[in-house]
Structures are given as C-alpha cells and as structure tokens.
Amino acid sequence: MSLSIPRPDCSEEEWKTRVDLAACYRLVSLFGMTDLVSNHISARIPGTEEILLNPFGWLYEEITASSLIRIDVAGNILHNPHARYSINNAGYIIHSAVHEARPDVGCVVHTHTPAGIAVSALQCGILPISQSAMRFADIAYHDYEGVVFNESEKGRLVADLGARDVMVLRNHGLLACGATVAQAFNSIYRLERVCQIQLLAQAANSPLIQPSAELVRLSNQQYAGNKSSLGLPATPLGEMEWPAMLRLLDKHNPGYEQ
C-alpha cells in the first residue's frame, strides 16, 4: 500500500484520510454490508470542517482515494473530480449533521443491511443478549421521518444521537461513528453482527436468556477498557484490527489507495 500523494493541492492529512476512507468503503463491500450504490461513509479532513463523501452512483468496491468528493458541512462542493457524478442529498444531510454537531467524530458509517433494517423495525430494538451486544449498552434511536431530504431533520437526528457512537434509524438502518475511520468501521461491523445474532436467536422460537443489568454494565466497561492484549497498552476498539483489515483488502480488492 502506497501513501504517495498524487495531487499538489492535497495535504498529507487529507490523503491519508482519503486512503483510509476508500479502504473502509471496500471493506464494507467485502463484508456484505452494501445496498447497491446507496448509503454513505464520510470522513472529516483533520483540522477542518470539510468532509469526504463517495460519488453517488459508484459501487463501494470501486471507491478509490482520488475518487472521493470533498465538501464542507454547509454542502458546498470544494473538489469533485467527476463530470457525471456528485453527492447524494440524503447522504449529505445525515453525515454533515453528525460532523457539524460532533467535532470528536472523524468518520460516520450508515448502512441498509437486511439484519440492520429488520432489527430497526422491532419495537424491542437491540437486546443485550450476546457479549457483542453488551459492548453497545447505550444505543441511540431515531424515529423514521421519510427519506432524509429535509434539512430540518438534522437537529432531531443529532439530538437523538447525543454523545453516543451508534444509532438505530428506525425502519431505516444503522449508523456508527468514531474518532477515526478504523474505529467507525469496527463499530459498524460489530453492530451488524449483533443484529444478525439477535435475529438468529429470536428465530429459534425459544426463550432468550437475558443477562442481568449488572452483567451488561460490567461487560460494557470491560469493552471500554479494551485490555485484551497482555503486556500491551489499551487502544480504542478498531485501531489494533485496522492494519489487518488493510492486509485483507490488499489481498482481495487492492487499488483503493489510488
């Protein structure tokens, strides 16, 4: 993987963000979390109020670092290398809302997977019935208001998200955010698996074992501490795995860094 910067107007920080974001798009595709050309993953260019989004109409598996479109949170297009593609309006509204309200967020991932949408339509939402689910003990929920074309929804969306990192968009899908692309990818991957596990358990038509609230809190705290590697300092969830994810991508779908 090369981090050489092909454009003189692109900073080193922006190019690294572009490479990581392009990799995230392709990883989401590799793990089967895409919806044709729909959905978006955004990343903030460090130290700015500018974000990167995909050209609407490209498959996730096609995204490269240089193909990403740079906009500001007000929706102004600052750099678009495409004559026939631009950004999707609903994607802009959802992602810019989070980036504008949460300066701690470097990346936002939104998906429309069958498992995620199915759980979003359940009144119970996500249940803490698996160890993975207990990582997300505090999950935000946002009620469906139609396709997100109305900018007035931005305020309600970020109010529902609050300071949390994951949210279920009712009757719609999943959203995860993180300080880095690596952390956001890890959260959406785990949240997706949580939904799959829950649906499998519920489909068995047998009583579910509900761990106590004390156990859920303990497990959540253990995840937050992330002290799983003996002799090594704790790192935010997703950071340790990211180099391995890039190696996996280099093997199965290289070229994202172009």
Side-chain angles (χ1 to χ4, degrees), residues 37-185:
V37 300
S38 298
N39 294 146
H40 314 84
I41 310 170
S42 62
R44 183 195 303 274
I45 298 172
T48 75
E49 289 299 304
E50 300 169 2
I51 61 177
L52 300 166
L53 274 173
N54 55 313
F56 186 52
W58 283 40
L59 296 171
Y60 273 27
E61 65 186 26
E62 298 176 306
I63 299 296
T64 63
S66 58
S67 73
L68 294 160
I69 298 172
R70 178 161 47 97
I71 67 172
D72 61 24
V73 292
N76 299 305
I77 295 178
L78 306 176
H79 176 79
N80 182 0
H82 311 282
R84 296 179 55 243
Y85 298 96
S86 187
I87 61 171
N88 175 258
N89 188 38
Y92 153 69
I93 290 175
I94 293 172
H95 290 256
S96 66
V98 177
H99 284 291
E100 186 173 18
R102 294 275 304 275
D104 60 308
V105 169
C107 179
V108 180
V109 187
H110 171 46
T111 61
H112 288 171
T113 62
I117 295 173
V119 172
S120 80
L122 297 177
Q123 190 172 34
C124 65
I126 294 177
L127 301 172
I129 57 171
S130 66
Q131 177 174 274
S132 295
M134 296 178 210
R135 166 181 168 176
F136 304 109
D138 188 14
I139 298 172
Y141 290 86
H142 177 67
D143 289 338
Y144 187 66
E145 299 185 25
V147 179
V148 189
F149 290 156
N150 189 342
E151 290 209 28
S152 69
E153 188 174 348
K154 293 171 74 171
R156 294 183 291 278
L157 189 148
V158 297
D160 288 336
L161 178 62
R164 303 174 187 89
D165 288 335
V166 294
M167 180 158 69
V168 174
L169 304 174
R170 292 287 194 183
N171 310 100
H172 184 175
L174 304 176
L175 183 143
C177 53
T180 65
V181 173
Q183 293 174 42
F185 171 75

